[in-house]
Amino acid sequence: MTQKILIVTGDAAESLEVLYPYQRLREEGYEVHIAAPTRKTLRFVVHDFEPGFDTYTEKPGYTWPADLAFSEVDPGEYVAIVIPGGRAPEYLRNDPELRKILKSFFDTDKPVAQICHGPLLTAAVDALRGRRVTAYPALEQDMQAAGATFQDAEAVVDGTLVSSRAWPDHSGWMREFLTVLRAKAPVT
């Protein structure tokens, strides 16, 4: 039986932060499902930096179908979860079905990969207290308010939680996450 990994996301997620782990984990031999508030075609975005802007800009990105709705997810079927960033976590953290899913992964100490603004979701289920994390640097105060120790690094590993700042750090993030996965939930 193939090991399954869940990616939880929604509209306005950063394209690269969804599709890079999706493809990399499939390449490794995992079956990967994307869950969203509803089954629909999701609209991702591209965040980039422009000269003269104080923050990143946002442009339309790829579209991709959600395999299932949060209400259809059985966390017990999955060995790990990936939480991309972008703007999606700002509204997804209010979804009670998603909060149940996330809590289940932390309660069972399954591997969790989060990137960019994704830690807003894990903060919403009080899963960061006492942990070391990184996130998009503008979230340093949010991470501290959630009880975490913020580290400005390419990837931070705290047990089965692997976090990263943003898409430029993908290779380090996935390298660390795959190390955790191979130990906790190797492909069979």
Side-chain angles (χ1 to χ4, degrees), residues 6-42:
L6 184 66
I7 296 177
V8 291
T9 194
D11 287 326
E14 163 56 51
S15 292
L16 286 173
E17 293 173 3
V18 176
L19 297 176
Y20 180 81
Y22 177 83
Q23 292 172 339
R24 180 64 190 94
L25 294 166
R26 288 183 49 158
E27 177 184 46
E28 191 72 16
Y30 292 93
E31 183 177 334
V32 183
H33 297 160
I34 295 177
T38 61
R39 283 187 191 227
K40 69 174 207 164
T41 298
L42 298 167

PDB file of all heavy atoms in Angstrom, residues 6-42:
ATOM      1  N   LEU A   6      -1.157  14.421   2.707  1.00  0.00           N
ATOM      2  CA  LEU A   6      -2.211  15.402   2.479  1.00  0.00           C
ATOM      3  C   LEU A   6      -1.611  16.801   2.383  1.00  0.00           C
ATOM      4  O   LEU A   6      -0.771  17.174   3.204  1.00  0.00           O
ATOM      5  CB  LEU A   6      -3.210  15.353   3.648  1.00  0.00           C
ATOM      6  CG  LEU A   6      -4.437  16.236   3.542  1.00  0.00           C
ATOM      7  CD1 LEU A   6      -5.344  15.780   2.394  1.00  0.00           C
ATOM      8  CD2 LEU A   6      -5.212  16.210   4.862  1.00  0.00           C
ATOM      9  N   ILE A   7      -2.026  17.545   1.366  1.00  0.00           N
ATOM     10  CA  ILE A   7      -1.715  18.971   1.278  1.00  0.00           C
ATOM     11  C   ILE A   7      -3.024  19.708   1.517  1.00  0.00           C
ATOM     12  O   ILE A   7      -4.029  19.420   0.859  1.00  0.00           O
ATOM     13  CB  ILE A   7      -1.130  19.359  -0.098  1.00  0.00           C
ATOM     14  CG1 ILE A   7       0.211  18.668  -0.325  1.00  0.00           C
ATOM     15  CG2 ILE A   7      -0.984  20.883  -0.206  1.00  0.00           C
ATOM     16  CD1 ILE A   7       0.831  18.941  -1.693  1.00  0.00           C
ATOM     17  N   VAL A   8      -3.033  20.648   2.461  1.00  0.00           N
ATOM     18  CA  VAL A   8      -4.238  21.428   2.754  1.00  0.00           C
ATOM     19  C   VAL A   8      -4.023  22.861   2.279  1.00  0.00           C
ATOM     20  O   VAL A   8      -3.031  23.500   2.624  1.00  0.00           O
ATOM     21  CB  VAL A   8      -4.611  21.387   4.253  1.00  0.00           C
ATOM     22  CG1 VAL A   8      -5.080  19.997   4.636  1.00  0.00           C
ATOM     23  CG2 VAL A   8      -3.461  21.817   5.147  1.00  0.00           C
ATOM     24  N   THR A   9      -4.959  23.346   1.458  1.00  0.00           N
ATOM     25  CA  THR A   9      -4.776  24.667   0.872  1.00  0.00           C
ATOM     26  C   THR A   9      -6.104  25.222   0.386  1.00  0.00           C
ATOM     27  O   THR A   9      -7.160  24.626   0.614  1.00  0.00           O
ATOM     28  CB  THR A   9      -3.725  24.595  -0.260  1.00  0.00           C
ATOM     29  OG1 THR A   9      -3.322  25.912  -0.587  1.00  0.00           O
ATOM     30  CG2 THR A   9      -4.229  23.837  -1.464  1.00  0.00           C
ATOM     31  N   GLY A  10      -6.045  26.346  -0.283  1.00  0.00           N
ATOM     32  CA  GLY A  10      -7.237  26.985  -0.812  1.00  0.00           C
ATOM     33  C   GLY A  10      -6.859  28.016  -1.853  1.00  0.00           C
ATOM     34  O   GLY A  10      -5.693  28.125  -2.254  1.00  0.00           O
ATOM     35  N   ASP A  11      -7.845  28.787  -2.290  1.00  0.00           N
ATOM     36  CA  ASP A  11      -7.575  29.857  -3.246  1.00  0.00           C
ATOM     37  C   ASP A  11      -6.549  30.822  -2.657  1.00  0.00           C
ATOM     38  O   ASP A  11      -6.502  31.045  -1.447  1.00  0.00           O
ATOM     39  CB  ASP A  11      -8.866  30.626  -3.563  1.00  0.00           C
ATOM     40  CG  ASP A  11      -9.817  29.838  -4.442  1.00  0.00           C
ATOM     41  OD1 ASP A  11      -9.350  29.068  -5.300  1.00  0.00           O
ATOM     42  OD2 ASP A  11     -11.048  30.003  -4.263  1.00  0.00           O
ATOM     43  N   ALA A  12      -5.741  31.390  -3.540  1.00  0.00           N
ATOM     44  CA  ALA A  12      -4.706  32.374  -3.195  1.00  0.00           C
ATOM     45  C   ALA A  12      -3.524  31.765  -2.457  1.00  0.00           C
ATOM     46  O   ALA A  12      -2.736  32.472  -1.844  1.00  0.00           O
ATOM     47  CB  ALA A  12      -5.277  33.570  -2.432  1.00  0.00           C
ATOM     48  N   ALA A  13      -3.376  30.439  -2.525  1.00  0.00           N
ATOM     49  CA  ALA A  13      -2.150  29.821  -2.030  1.00  0.00           C
ATOM     50  C   ALA A  13      -1.040  30.146  -3.029  1.00  0.00           C
ATOM     51  O   ALA A  13      -1.304  30.346  -4.218  1.00  0.00           O
ATOM     52  CB  ALA A  13      -2.318  28.311  -1.910  1.00  0.00           C
ATOM     53  N   GLU A  14       0.189  30.190  -2.537  1.00  0.00           N
ATOM     54  CA  GLU A  14       1.343  30.431  -3.407  1.00  0.00           C
ATOM     55  C   GLU A  14       1.547  29.201  -4.296  1.00  0.00           C
ATOM     56  O   GLU A  14       1.718  28.084  -3.794  1.00  0.00           O
ATOM     57  CB  GLU A  14       2.571  30.721  -2.550  1.00  0.00           C
ATOM     58  CG  GLU A  14       3.903  30.602  -3.223  1.00  0.00           C
ATOM     59  CD  GLU A  14       4.087  31.441  -4.464  1.00  0.00           C
ATOM     60  OE1 GLU A  14       3.823  32.660  -4.430  1.00  0.00           O
ATOM     61  OE2 GLU A  14       4.493  30.854  -5.494  1.00  0.00           O
ATOM     62  N   SER A  15       1.519  29.401  -5.611  1.00  0.00           N
ATOM     63  CA  SER A  15       1.623  28.305  -6.578  1.00  0.00           C
ATOM     64  C   SER A  15       2.793  27.365  -6.303  1.00  0.00           C
ATOM     65  O   SER A  15       2.626  26.139  -6.256  1.00  0.00           O
ATOM     66  CB  SER A  15       1.779  28.856  -8.008  1.00  0.00           C
ATOM     67  OG  SER A  15       0.623  29.497  -8.438  1.00  0.00           O
ATOM     68  N   LEU A  16       3.976  27.920  -6.149  1.00  0.00           N
ATOM     69  CA  LEU A  16       5.160  27.078  -5.959  1.00  0.00           C
ATOM     70  C   LEU A  16       5.111  26.306  -4.645  1.00  0.00           C
ATOM     71  O   LEU A  16       5.645  25.203  -4.552  1.00  0.00           O
ATOM     72  CB  LEU A  16       6.432  27.931  -5.994  1.00  0.00           C
ATOM     73  CG  LEU A  16       6.867  28.438  -7.361  1.00  0.00           C
ATOM     74  CD1 LEU A  16       8.040  29.405  -7.213  1.00  0.00           C
ATOM     75  CD2 LEU A  16       7.237  27.286  -8.273  1.00  0.00           C
ATOM     76  N   GLU A  17       4.485  26.874  -3.631  1.00  0.00           N
ATOM     77  CA  GLU A  17       4.453  26.226  -2.316  1.00  0.00           C
ATOM     78  C   GLU A  17       3.453  25.075  -2.260  1.00  0.00           C
ATOM     79  O   GLU A  17       3.499  24.267  -1.336  1.00  0.00           O
ATOM     80  CB  GLU A  17       4.180  27.257  -1.233  1.00  0.00           C
ATOM     81  CG  GLU A  17       5.345  28.228  -1.105  1.00  0.00           C
ATOM     82  CD  GLU A  17       5.103  29.382  -0.179  1.00  0.00           C
ATOM     83  OE1 GLU A  17       4.036  29.465   0.457  1.00  0.00           O
ATOM     84  OE2 GLU A  17       6.016  30.229  -0.089  1.00  0.00           O
ATOM     85  N   VAL A  18       2.578  24.996  -3.243  1.00  0.00           N
ATOM     86  CA  VAL A  18       1.681  23.847  -3.379  1.00  0.00           C
ATOM     87  C   VAL A  18       2.293  22.829  -4.335  1.00  0.00           C
ATOM     88  O   VAL A  18       2.421  21.645  -4.015  1.00  0.00           O
ATOM     89  CB  VAL A  18       0.280  24.263  -3.896  1.00  0.00           C
ATOM     90  CG1 VAL A  18      -0.596  23.026  -4.108  1.00  0.00           C
ATOM     91  CG2 VAL A  18      -0.391  25.247  -2.963  1.00  0.00           C
ATOM     92  N   LEU A  19       2.684  23.293  -5.506  1.00  0.00           N
ATOM     93  CA  LEU A  19       3.068  22.374  -6.571  1.00  0.00           C
ATOM     94  C   LEU A  19       4.461  21.776  -6.407  1.00  0.00           C
ATOM     95  O   LEU A  19       4.687  20.636  -6.825  1.00  0.00           O
ATOM     96  CB  LEU A  19       2.913  23.066  -7.924  1.00  0.00           C
ATOM     97  CG  LEU A  19       1.458  23.454  -8.241  1.00  0.00           C
ATOM     98  CD1 LEU A  19       1.375  24.217  -9.556  1.00  0.00           C
ATOM     99  CD2 LEU A  19       0.556  22.230  -8.274  1.00  0.00           C
ATOM    100  N   TYR A  20       5.400  22.489  -5.805  1.00  0.00           N
ATOM    101  CA  TYR A  20       6.722  21.897  -5.602  1.00  0.00           C
ATOM    102  C   TYR A  20       6.643  20.692  -4.658  1.00  0.00           C
ATOM    103  O   TYR A  20       7.106  19.605  -5.014  1.00  0.00           O
ATOM    104  CB  TYR A  20       7.742  22.926  -5.115  1.00  0.00           C
ATOM    105  CG  TYR A  20       9.111  22.320  -4.909  1.00  0.00           C
ATOM    106  CD1 TYR A  20       9.978  22.113  -5.974  1.00  0.00           C
ATOM    107  CD2 TYR A  20       9.521  21.906  -3.648  1.00  0.00           C
ATOM    108  CE1 TYR A  20      11.223  21.532  -5.793  1.00  0.00           C
ATOM    109  CE2 TYR A  20      10.763  21.318  -3.458  1.00  0.00           C
ATOM    110  CZ  TYR A  20      11.605  21.135  -4.531  1.00  0.00           C
ATOM    111  OH  TYR A  20      12.825  20.544  -4.345  1.00  0.00           O
ATOM    112  N   PRO A  21       6.081  20.824  -3.454  1.00  0.00           N
ATOM    113  CA  PRO A  21       6.001  19.627  -2.605  1.00  0.00           C
ATOM    114  C   PRO A  21       5.110  18.538  -3.213  1.00  0.00           C
ATOM    115  O   PRO A  21       5.404  17.351  -3.078  1.00  0.00           O
ATOM    116  CB  PRO A  21       5.457  20.127  -1.272  1.00  0.00           C
ATOM    117  CG  PRO A  21       4.930  21.483  -1.518  1.00  0.00           C
ATOM    118  CD  PRO A  21       5.602  22.013  -2.742  1.00  0.00           C
ATOM    119  N   TYR A  22       4.046  18.927  -3.895  1.00  0.00           N
ATOM    120  CA  TYR A  22       3.173  17.948  -4.545  1.00  0.00           C
ATOM    121  C   TYR A  22       3.994  17.072  -5.490  1.00  0.00           C
ATOM    122  O   TYR A  22       3.951  15.837  -5.418  1.00  0.00           O
ATOM    123  CB  TYR A  22       2.061  18.679  -5.299  1.00  0.00           C
ATOM    124  CG  TYR A  22       1.133  17.773  -6.072  1.00  0.00           C
ATOM    125  CD1 TYR A  22       0.067  17.134  -5.433  1.00  0.00           C
ATOM    126  CD2 TYR A  22       1.316  17.550  -7.428  1.00  0.00           C
ATOM    127  CE1 TYR A  22      -0.783  16.294  -6.134  1.00  0.00           C
ATOM    128  CE2 TYR A  22       0.471  16.712  -8.141  1.00  0.00           C
ATOM    129  CZ  TYR A  22      -0.581  16.083  -7.486  1.00  0.00           C
ATOM    130  OH  TYR A  22      -1.419  15.254  -8.190  1.00  0.00           O
ATOM    131  N   GLN A  23       4.762  17.699  -6.369  1.00  0.00           N
ATOM    132  CA  GLN A  23       5.532  16.943  -7.343  1.00  0.00           C
ATOM    133  C   GLN A  23       6.722  16.226  -6.708  1.00  0.00           C
ATOM    134  O   GLN A  23       7.014  15.078  -7.044  1.00  0.00           O
ATOM    135  CB  GLN A  23       5.983  17.868  -8.467  1.00  0.00           C
ATOM    136  CG  GLN A  23       4.789  18.343  -9.283  1.00  0.00           C
ATOM    137  CD  GLN A  23       5.132  19.402 -10.294  1.00  0.00           C
ATOM    138  OE1 GLN A  23       6.145  20.078 -10.186  1.00  0.00           O
ATOM    139  NE2 GLN A  23       4.271  19.556 -11.279  1.00  0.00           N
ATOM    140  N   ARG A  24       7.400  16.875  -5.777  1.00  0.00           N
ATOM    141  CA  ARG A  24       8.584  16.261  -5.149  1.00  0.00           C
ATOM    142  C   ARG A  24       8.198  15.019  -4.345  1.00  0.00           C
ATOM    143  O   ARG A  24       8.894  14.009  -4.372  1.00  0.00           O
ATOM    144  CB  ARG A  24       9.291  17.292  -4.257  1.00  0.00           C
ATOM    145  CG  ARG A  24      10.523  16.782  -3.561  1.00  0.00           C
ATOM    146  CD  ARG A  24      11.609  16.401  -4.572  1.00  0.00           C
ATOM    147  NE  ARG A  24      12.700  15.700  -3.934  1.00  0.00           N
ATOM    148  CZ  ARG A  24      12.810  14.368  -3.850  1.00  0.00           C
ATOM    149  NH1 ARG A  24      11.866  13.587  -4.361  1.00  0.00           N
ATOM    150  NH2 ARG A  24      13.841  13.805  -3.259  1.00  0.00           N
ATOM    151  N   LEU A  25       7.099  15.088  -3.619  1.00  0.00           N
ATOM    152  CA  LEU A  25       6.661  13.942  -2.807  1.00  0.00           C
ATOM    153  C   LEU A  25       6.166  12.796  -3.692  1.00  0.00           C
ATOM    154  O   LEU A  25       6.402  11.630  -3.390  1.00  0.00           O
ATOM    155  CB  LEU A  25       5.602  14.374  -1.797  1.00  0.00           C
ATOM    156  CG  LEU A  25       6.137  15.334  -0.721  1.00  0.00           C
ATOM    157  CD1 LEU A  25       4.991  15.998   0.022  1.00  0.00           C
ATOM    158  CD2 LEU A  25       7.089  14.626   0.225  1.00  0.00           C
ATOM    159  N   ARG A  26       5.514  13.120  -4.790  1.00  0.00           N
ATOM    160  CA  ARG A  26       5.114  12.075  -5.749  1.00  0.00           C
ATOM    161  C   ARG A  26       6.346  11.422  -6.359  1.00  0.00           C
ATOM    162  O   ARG A  26       6.388  10.205  -6.520  1.00  0.00           O
ATOM    163  CB  ARG A  26       4.226  12.665  -6.839  1.00  0.00           C
ATOM    164  CG  ARG A  26       2.839  13.019  -6.326  1.00  0.00           C
ATOM    165  CD  ARG A  26       1.982  13.519  -7.423  1.00  0.00           C
ATOM    166  NE  ARG A  26       2.102  12.556  -8.527  1.00  0.00           N
ATOM    167  CZ  ARG A  26       1.211  12.408  -9.486  1.00  0.00           C
ATOM    168  NH1 ARG A  26       0.140  13.137  -9.495  1.00  0.00           N
ATOM    169  NH2 ARG A  26       1.390  11.548 -10.454  1.00  0.00           N
ATOM    170  N   GLU A  27       7.333  12.238  -6.671  1.00  0.00           N
ATOM    171  CA  GLU A  27       8.576  11.713  -7.222  1.00  0.00           C
ATOM    172  C   GLU A  27       9.228  10.725  -6.245  1.00  0.00           C
ATOM    173  O   GLU A  27       9.804   9.725  -6.648  1.00  0.00           O
ATOM    174  CB  GLU A  27       9.528  12.875  -7.511  1.00  0.00           C
ATOM    175  CG  GLU A  27      10.893  12.477  -8.012  1.00  0.00           C
ATOM    176  CD  GLU A  27      11.809  13.677  -8.173  1.00  0.00           C
ATOM    177  OE1 GLU A  27      11.862  14.520  -7.256  1.00  0.00           O
ATOM    178  OE2 GLU A  27      12.472  13.754  -9.213  1.00  0.00           O
ATOM    179  N   GLU A  28       9.081  11.000  -4.965  1.00  0.00           N
ATOM    180  CA  GLU A  28       9.665  10.149  -3.927  1.00  0.00           C
ATOM    181  C   GLU A  28       8.885   8.838  -3.768  1.00  0.00           C
ATOM    182  O   GLU A  28       9.371   7.897  -3.148  1.00  0.00           O
ATOM    183  CB  GLU A  28       9.687  10.924  -2.601  1.00  0.00           C
ATOM    184  CG  GLU A  28      10.488  10.301  -1.514  1.00  0.00           C
ATOM    185  CD  GLU A  28      11.995  10.377  -1.718  1.00  0.00           C
ATOM    186  OE1 GLU A  28      12.477  11.171  -2.542  1.00  0.00           O
ATOM    187  OE2 GLU A  28      12.705   9.607  -1.034  1.00  0.00           O
ATOM    188  N   GLY A  29       7.655   8.786  -4.311  1.00  0.00           N
ATOM    189  CA  GLY A  29       6.858   7.566  -4.241  1.00  0.00           C
ATOM    190  C   GLY A  29       5.625   7.654  -3.370  1.00  0.00           C
ATOM    191  O   GLY A  29       4.909   6.657  -3.207  1.00  0.00           O
ATOM    192  N   TYR A  30       5.341   8.820  -2.814  1.00  0.00           N
ATOM    193  CA  TYR A  30       4.144   9.006  -1.989  1.00  0.00           C
ATOM    194  C   TYR A  30       2.945   9.325  -2.886  1.00  0.00           C
ATOM    195  O   TYR A  30       3.088   9.917  -3.954  1.00  0.00           O
ATOM    196  CB  TYR A  30       4.341  10.142  -0.983  1.00  0.00           C
ATOM    197  CG  TYR A  30       5.357   9.825   0.078  1.00  0.00           C
ATOM    198  CD1 TYR A  30       6.692  10.192  -0.066  1.00  0.00           C
ATOM    199  CD2 TYR A  30       4.986   9.145   1.232  1.00  0.00           C
ATOM    200  CE1 TYR A  30       7.632   9.885   0.907  1.00  0.00           C
ATOM    201  CE2 TYR A  30       5.921   8.836   2.208  1.00  0.00           C
ATOM    202  CZ  TYR A  30       7.245   9.204   2.041  1.00  0.00           C
ATOM    203  OH  TYR A  30       8.163   8.894   2.995  1.00  0.00           O
ATOM    204  N   GLU A  31       1.766   8.951  -2.427  1.00  0.00           N
ATOM    205  CA  GLU A  31       0.518   9.373  -3.065  1.00  0.00           C
ATOM    206  C   GLU A  31       0.116  10.674  -2.383  1.00  0.00           C
ATOM    207  O   GLU A  31       0.073  10.738  -1.152  1.00  0.00           O
ATOM    208  CB  GLU A  31      -0.557   8.304  -2.858  1.00  0.00           C
ATOM    209  CG  GLU A  31      -1.856   8.603  -3.539  1.00  0.00           C
ATOM    210  CD  GLU A  31      -2.874   7.478  -3.358  1.00  0.00           C
ATOM    211  OE1 GLU A  31      -2.480   6.308  -3.155  1.00  0.00           O
ATOM    212  OE2 GLU A  31      -4.071   7.789  -3.390  1.00  0.00           O
ATOM    213  N   VAL A  32      -0.160  11.710  -3.152  1.00  0.00           N
ATOM    214  CA  VAL A  32      -0.420  13.030  -2.583  1.00  0.00           C
ATOM    215  C   VAL A  32      -1.816  13.496  -2.967  1.00  0.00           C
ATOM    216  O   VAL A  32      -2.180  13.473  -4.149  1.00  0.00           O
ATOM    217  CB  VAL A  32       0.632  14.061  -3.052  1.00  0.00           C
ATOM    218  CG1 VAL A  32       0.390  15.413  -2.400  1.00  0.00           C
ATOM    219  CG2 VAL A  32       2.052  13.562  -2.761  1.00  0.00           C
ATOM    220  N   HIS A  33      -2.588  13.919  -1.969  1.00  0.00           N
ATOM    221  CA  HIS A  33      -3.923  14.461  -2.190  1.00  0.00           C
ATOM    222  C   HIS A  33      -3.968  15.912  -1.743  1.00  0.00           C
ATOM    223  O   HIS A  33      -3.369  16.256  -0.717  1.00  0.00           O
ATOM    224  CB  HIS A  33      -4.973  13.674  -1.411  1.00  0.00           C
ATOM    225  CG  HIS A  33      -5.087  12.253  -1.832  1.00  0.00           C
ATOM    226  ND1 HIS A  33      -5.647  11.291  -1.030  1.00  0.00           N
ATOM    227  CD2 HIS A  33      -4.715  11.609  -2.974  1.00  0.00           C
ATOM    228  CE1 HIS A  33      -5.624  10.134  -1.653  1.00  0.00           C
ATOM    229  NE2 HIS A  33      -5.049  10.306  -2.834  1.00  0.00           N
ATOM    230  N   ILE A  34      -4.704  16.722  -2.479  1.00  0.00           N
ATOM    231  CA  ILE A  34      -4.901  18.129  -2.115  1.00  0.00           C
ATOM    232  C   ILE A  34      -6.321  18.295  -1.608  1.00  0.00           C
ATOM    233  O   ILE A  34      -7.288  17.939  -2.297  1.00  0.00           O
ATOM    234  CB  ILE A  34      -4.635  19.059  -3.311  1.00  0.00           C
ATOM    235  CG1 ILE A  34      -3.153  18.964  -3.714  1.00  0.00           C
ATOM    236  CG2 ILE A  34      -5.021  20.496  -2.969  1.00  0.00           C
ATOM    237  CD1 ILE A  34      -2.769  19.773  -4.925  1.00  0.00           C
ATOM    238  N   ALA A  35      -6.433  18.829  -0.395  1.00  0.00           N
ATOM    239  CA  ALA A  35      -7.744  19.093   0.203  1.00  0.00           C
ATOM    240  C   ALA A  35      -7.922  20.591   0.359  1.00  0.00           C
ATOM    241  O   ALA A  35      -6.973  21.332   0.628  1.00  0.00           O
ATOM    242  CB  ALA A  35      -7.865  18.401   1.559  1.00  0.00           C
ATOM    243  N   ALA A  36      -9.172  21.031   0.206  1.00  0.00           N
ATOM    244  CA  ALA A  36      -9.547  22.440   0.284  1.00  0.00           C
ATOM    245  C   ALA A  36     -10.924  22.538   0.944  1.00  0.00           C
ATOM    246  O   ALA A  36     -11.543  21.510   1.224  1.00  0.00           O
ATOM    247  CB  ALA A  36      -9.563  23.037  -1.119  1.00  0.00           C
ATOM    248  N   PRO A  37     -11.410  23.740   1.177  1.00  0.00           N
ATOM    249  CA  PRO A  37     -12.735  23.847   1.795  1.00  0.00           C
ATOM    250  C   PRO A  37     -13.815  23.080   1.032  1.00  0.00           C
ATOM    251  O   PRO A  37     -14.705  22.488   1.632  1.00  0.00           O
ATOM    252  CB  PRO A  37     -13.008  25.350   1.797  1.00  0.00           C
ATOM    253  CG  PRO A  37     -11.643  25.965   1.881  1.00  0.00           C
ATOM    254  CD  PRO A  37     -10.777  25.061   1.038  1.00  0.00           C
ATOM    255  N   THR A  38     -13.731  23.074  -0.316  1.00  0.00           N
ATOM    256  CA  THR A  38     -14.661  22.312  -1.152  1.00  0.00           C
ATOM    257  C   THR A  38     -13.885  21.722  -2.324  1.00  0.00           C
ATOM    258  O   THR A  38     -12.793  22.187  -2.647  1.00  0.00           O
ATOM    259  CB  THR A  38     -15.804  23.195  -1.722  1.00  0.00           C
ATOM    260  OG1 THR A  38     -15.222  24.218  -2.537  1.00  0.00           O
ATOM    261  CG2 THR A  38     -16.637  23.819  -0.611  1.00  0.00           C
ATOM    262  N   ARG A  39     -14.476  20.705  -2.949  1.00  0.00           N
ATOM    263  CA  ARG A  39     -13.900  20.165  -4.193  1.00  0.00           C
ATOM    264  C   ARG A  39     -14.193  21.175  -5.291  1.00  0.00           C
ATOM    265  O   ARG A  39     -15.353  21.415  -5.623  1.00  0.00           O
ATOM    266  CB  ARG A  39     -14.558  18.850  -4.576  1.00  0.00           C
ATOM    267  CG  ARG A  39     -14.103  17.680  -3.798  1.00  0.00           C
ATOM    268  CD  ARG A  39     -14.729  16.445  -4.420  1.00  0.00           C
ATOM    269  NE  ARG A  39     -14.559  15.298  -3.581  1.00  0.00           N
ATOM    270  CZ  ARG A  39     -14.143  14.127  -4.022  1.00  0.00           C
ATOM    271  NH1 ARG A  39     -13.877  13.954  -5.305  1.00  0.00           N
ATOM    272  NH2 ARG A  39     -14.016  13.117  -3.192  1.00  0.00           N
ATOM    273  N   LYS A  40     -13.144  21.749  -5.839  1.00  0.00           N
ATOM    274  CA  LYS A  40     -13.299  22.715  -6.922  1.00  0.00           C
ATOM    275  C   LYS A  40     -11.938  22.949  -7.542  1.00  0.00           C
ATOM    276  O   LYS A  40     -10.920  22.441  -7.048  1.00  0.00           O
ATOM    277  CB  LYS A  40     -13.887  24.030  -6.415  1.00  0.00           C
ATOM    278  CG  LYS A  40     -12.958  24.822  -5.516  1.00  0.00           C
ATOM    279  CD  LYS A  40     -13.552  26.168  -5.168  1.00  0.00           C
ATOM    280  CE  LYS A  40     -12.473  27.180  -4.859  1.00  0.00           C
ATOM    281  NZ  LYS A  40     -12.969  28.522  -4.886  1.00  0.00           N
ATOM    282  N   THR A  41     -11.894  23.735  -8.591  1.00  0.00           N
ATOM    283  CA  THR A  41     -10.626  24.142  -9.163  1.00  0.00           C
ATOM    284  C   THR A  41     -10.118  25.329  -8.350  1.00  0.00           C
ATOM    285  O   THR A  41     -10.788  26.365  -8.265  1.00  0.00           O
ATOM    286  CB  THR A  41     -10.775  24.533 -10.651  1.00  0.00           C
ATOM    287  OG1 THR A  41     -11.237  23.377 -11.369  1.00  0.00           O
ATOM    288  CG2 THR A  41      -9.458  25.012 -11.223  1.00  0.00           C
ATOM    289  N   LEU A  42      -8.969  25.141  -7.732  1.00  0.00           N
ATOM    290  CA  LEU A  42      -8.368  26.192  -6.909  1.00  0.00           C
ATOM    291  C   LEU A  42      -7.581  27.156  -7.785  1.00  0.00           C
ATOM    292  O   LEU A  42      -6.996  26.761  -8.791  1.00  0.00           O
ATOM    293  CB  LEU A  42      -7.445  25.572  -5.860  1.00  0.00           C
ATOM    294  CG  LEU A  42      -8.129  24.639  -4.873  1.00  0.00           C
ATOM    295  CD1 LEU A  42      -7.103  23.848  -4.085  1.00  0.00           C
ATOM    296  CD2 LEU A  42      -9.036  25.433  -3.941  1.00  0.00           C
TER     297      LEU A  42
END
